[in-house]
Amino acid sequence: MASNLVDTFGSSIAVLGLHLDSSGIPWNFTRVNYYPFFAGTPTWLIDGMIDSWSGSPPWNAWEPDTSTRVAVPTDVTITLSGQAGSVPEDWTITAAVCIEAGGTGKSMRIYLAEVLDDYPASPVFTRNGIRQVAPTEDIVLASGACTDVTRALTFDAATMAQIDDVSIIAWAQDDLPSGPAEVFQATQMHWPFWTEGIFEDGFESGTTDEWTLAVP
């Protein structure tokens, strides 16, 4: 079903896969605990706000709920860039975060994550499994203002073995102490780190997958 949604929405969505069984990434558990209404796996949270594990079968709600959030406008923009280090594993990633002129000033928490498609290898429908998430940064921007959030990332052996499947996803979320917390915008930068798209945030099934959704 995850791949079906990717096919339906194309570059309008990107996925963050939070797996609690086979990947053993500690941040996945931290992220799940951020949402007090989380009831267990599998589940699907769209844009950090909509718990879309409903319907009979439950995935009947995913496409209409995704469409609803894709249609919500945002005044936040994020542009990602990457600079190679002295060894192939090391990268410096910069997220340029702005609020458009005429937009509404706001405080936001900025996330930078490395994801690996088709990871973990089992189950076979996995998309963009989390490999690491850099320390977050809370920012306050006024209308028309921008700031850069820069983090150093080192790719591990699993990433280097699948380097063509690696992406960086950054997202700007309401800086609340717990969810629901709206994701205002995000960007995905695919290897070899020369293109990017504009996205927002959410959850899917399988074990636990967090999805990012585009907005106009």
Side-chain angles (χ1 to χ4, degrees), residues 21-208:
D21 47 5
S22 55
S23 66
I25 304 299
W27 187 86
N28 292 350
F29 296 89
T30 300
R31 186 63 169 176
V32 165
N33 291 333
Y34 180 74
Y35 297 103
F37 51 80
F38 178 78
T41 60
T43 197
W44 171 291
L45 179 66
I46 299 174
D47 286 353
M49 299 174 63
I50 301 174
D51 185 358
S52 191
W53 193 256
S54 61
S56 182
W59 47 84
N60 281 352
W62 298 351
E63 185 169 334
D65 285 349
T66 299
S67 295
T68 296
R69 286 302 303 174
V70 165
V72 176
T74 184
D75 54 9
V76 178
T77 67
I78 304 176
T79 301
L80 276 173
S81 60
Q83 181 176 349
S86 58
V87 297
E89 295 85 355
D90 290 346
W91 284 83
T92 298
I93 305 297
T94 298
V97 185
C98 301
I99 295 181
E100 296 172 336
T104 302
K106 56 180 68 69
S107 58
M108 298 175 285
R109 181 161 296 141
I110 308 304
Y111 295 81
L112 278 168
E114 176 215 332
V115 300
L116 195 59
D117 208 16
D118 298 320
Y119 174 85
S122 177
V124 296
F125 52 78
T126 53
R127 302 304 302 263
N128 283 10
I130 290 285
R131 291 301 302 155
Q132 61 177 315
V133 179
T136 60
E137 183 170 330
D138 289 353
I139 64 173
V140 179
L141 287 181
S143 176
C146 298
T147 193
D148 288 346
V149 175
T150 299
R151 294 290 185 268
L153 295 180
T154 298
F155 297 155
D156 63 9
T159 296
M160 296 305 292
Q162 269 182 253
I163 194 65
D164 289 340
D165 296 322
V166 71
S167 295
I168 304 298
I169 296 178
W171 67 99
Q173 189 166 17
D174 202 346
D175 60 348
L176 298 176
S178 63
E182 183 173 7
V183 173
F184 302 111
Q185 191 56 279
T187 294
Q188 181 170 0
M189 179 172 60
H190 300 284
W191 180 262
F193 301 162
W194 61 274
T195 58
E196 65 265 346
I198 298 175
F199 300 97
E200 282 195 0
D201 177 61
F203 259 107
E204 190 256 356
S205 88
T207 48
T208 301

